[in-house]
């Protein structure tokens, strides 16, 4: 009862502040909260909203709103990803801008696999240079076509209908199999088996093709490493878990915000290790 009352008060404050939470003096301890649009906030154990990175590497802006690590300046990151896969050498001014790109690229844009270990060059001024090696190149358009041919195009009049249709399409053709966690996308699609990253990336392609704004998200679900989606429709964020939908949870196409903050934890996946010997480093 106390927890429900606190959440209700947070929602009321967000409305009074034009949808933005600024602070909260009492609370149940550290954790995520949300507003009516599905924006996420992180509160510390003394009731203050974060406007910095939390312990999971997730950044919160000056208003306390969580920035999805895989979708920071998403349009710029997509342009960079296209140039990167075309073979262009990218130069980032600092570690943060590099991490923003690499998180988007591996979590969202890259369709072949879910993990990529690359070396890059760090210069004395802190800038980072990155070029895709031949071993990491693949035919992205071919995988997109394979997804669309296998799962079909998404139908629906509303964003919610399109999301449900995408989840249905994935569930009809793909079964969850933990043995496929490291299997590449084309092989998984052909086998009709995969894990959360396969299912989420497939649904992402289907929804993007249908004109839905969609982001990949990564982190933990009930303590286990997991991937899911965040879409925008009807003036709010819609959190979507194609894997849970395929497991029989029809509510996973529009996860209740209170369910989301109780079970899902967004996490920054990109980490950087500096090699002091030769000055190169990798994620």
């Amino acid at each position: 009862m106390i927890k429900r009352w606190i959440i209700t008060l947070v929602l009321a404050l967000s409305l009074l502040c034009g949808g933005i939470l600024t602070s909260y003096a009492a609370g149940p301890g550290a954790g995520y909260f949300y507003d009516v649009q599905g924006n996420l906030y992180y509160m510390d154990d003394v009731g203050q909203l974060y406007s910095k990175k939390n312990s999971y590497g997730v950044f919160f802006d000056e208003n306390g709103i969580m920035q999805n690590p895989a979708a920071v300046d998403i349009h710029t990151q997509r342009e960079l990803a296209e140039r990167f896969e075309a073979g262009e050498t990218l130069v980032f001014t600092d570690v943060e801008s590099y991490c923003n790109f690499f998180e988007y690229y591996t979590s969202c844009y890259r369709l072949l696999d879910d993990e990529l270990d690359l070396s890059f060059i760090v210069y004395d001024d802190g800038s980072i240079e990155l070029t895709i090696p031949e071993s990491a190149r693949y035919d992205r358009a071919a995988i997109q076509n394979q997804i669309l041919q296998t799962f079909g195009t998404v139908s629906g009049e509303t964003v919610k209908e399109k999301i449900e249709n995408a989840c249905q399409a994935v569930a009809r053709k793909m079964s969850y199999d933990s043995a496929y966690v490291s299997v590449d996308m084309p092989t998984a699609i052909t086998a009709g088996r995969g894990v959360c990253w396969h299912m989420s990336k497939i649904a992402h392609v289907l929804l993007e093709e249908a004109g839905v704004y969609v982001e990949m998200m990564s982190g933990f679900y009930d303590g286990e490493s997991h991937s899911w989606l965040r879409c925008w429709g009807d003036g709010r964020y819609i959190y979507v878990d194609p894997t849970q939908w395929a497991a029989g949870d029809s509510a996973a196409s529009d996860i209740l915000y209170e369910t989301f903050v109780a079970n899902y934890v967004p996490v920054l996946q990109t980490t950087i290790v500096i090699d002091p010997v030769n000055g190169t480093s990798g994620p």
Side-chain angles (χ1 to χ4, degrees):
M1 180 65 69
I2 294 175
K3 187 174 182 180
R4 287 186 179 180
W5 178 83
I6 289 169
I7 290 174
T8 302
L9 178 57
V10 169
L11 288 172
L13 283 171
S14 72
L15 290 172
L16 289 172
C17 299
I20 300 299
L21 292 170
T22 53
S23 64
Y24 185 56
Y32 279 95
F33 291 85
Y34 54 87
D35 64 17
V36 292
Q37 290 185 313
N39 289 303
L40 298 178
Y41 305 81
Y42 192 82
M43 192 176 294
D44 63 23
D45 54 8
V46 296
Q48 296 297 313
L49 289 174
Y50 269 55
S51 57
K52 55 183 179 181
K53 285 186 178 180
N54 68 6
S55 58
Y56 294 107
V58 178
F59 179 73
F60 297 79
D61 68 16
E62 66 275 9
N63 295 311
I65 298 175
M66 186 205 79
Q67 307 300 294
N68 178 8
V72 177
D73 197 5
I74 191 169
H75 299 297
T76 297
Q77 306 306 343
R78 184 180 183 89
E79 179 187 344
L80 289 173
E82 291 171 352
R83 289 161 49 192
F84 180 63
E85 289 202 341
E88 181 178 333
T89 296
L90 302 181
V91 178
F92 302 92
T93 57
D94 51 38
V95 170
E96 183 176 345
S97 60
Y98 166 80
C99 285
N100 288 340
F101 166 75
F102 199 81
E103 188 78 7
Y104 168 80
Y105 178 70
T106 55
S107 297
C108 179
Y109 190 83
R110 186 175 174 85
L111 297 180
L112 180 64
D113 44 39
D114 190 50
E115 293 185 0
L116 186 63
D117 187 8
L118 296 179
S119 294
F120 54 84
I121 300 172
V122 181
Y123 291 99
D124 290 340
D125 63 359
S127 63
I128 295 174
E129 185 178 284
L130 178 67
T131 306
I132 190 168
E134 284 297 325
S135 60
R137 292 179 181 273
Y138 71 104
D139 190 339
R140 188 175 193 273
I143 297 179
Q144 281 182 304
N145 290 334
Q146 183 186 18
I147 290 172
L148 295 174
Q149 290 173 6
T150 302
F151 298 90
T153 55
V154 167
S155 61
E157 295 296 322
T158 66
V159 170
K160 283 195 66 175
E161 288 174 353
K162 291 177 180 179
I163 291 171
E164 289 172 359
N165 188 268
C167 288
Q168 289 170 355
V170 173
R172 280 196 301 265
K173 298 285 187 175
M174 181 77 70
S175 299
Y176 186 88
D177 189 336
S178 60
Y180 278 70
V181 65
S182 298
V183 174
D184 65 65
M185 181 68 83
T187 303
I189 293 174
T190 300
R193 295 178 178 277
V195 294
C196 60
W197 75 262
H198 297 103
M199 295 181 175
S200 293
K201 286 191 176 185
I202 289 167
H204 186 283
V205 170
L206 297 178
L207 289 168
E208 201 169 52
E209 183 74 13
V212 175
Y213 175 82
V214 55
E215 303 172 356
M216 285 286 295
M217 296 189 76
S218 300
F220 298 106
Y221 171 72
D222 285 349
E224 299 291 332
S225 181
H226 196 53
S227 297
W228 62 92
L229 304 176
R230 181 167 80 164
C231 302
W232 181 263
D234 300 323
R236 67 183 182 93
Y237 282 117
I238 301 172
Y239 294 88
V240 183
D241 190 337
T243 308
Q244 289 302 109
W245 204 100
D249 182 6
S250 60
S253 62
D254 186 0
I255 303 168
L256 293 174
Y257 295 153
E258 59 197 68
T259 300
F260 182 87
V261 298
N263 296 284
Y264 293 79
V265 179
V267 174
L268 176 70
Q269 302 290 319
T270 301
T271 56
I272 292 179
V273 178
I274 303 294
D275 181 349
V277 176
N278 57 28
T280 61
S281 52

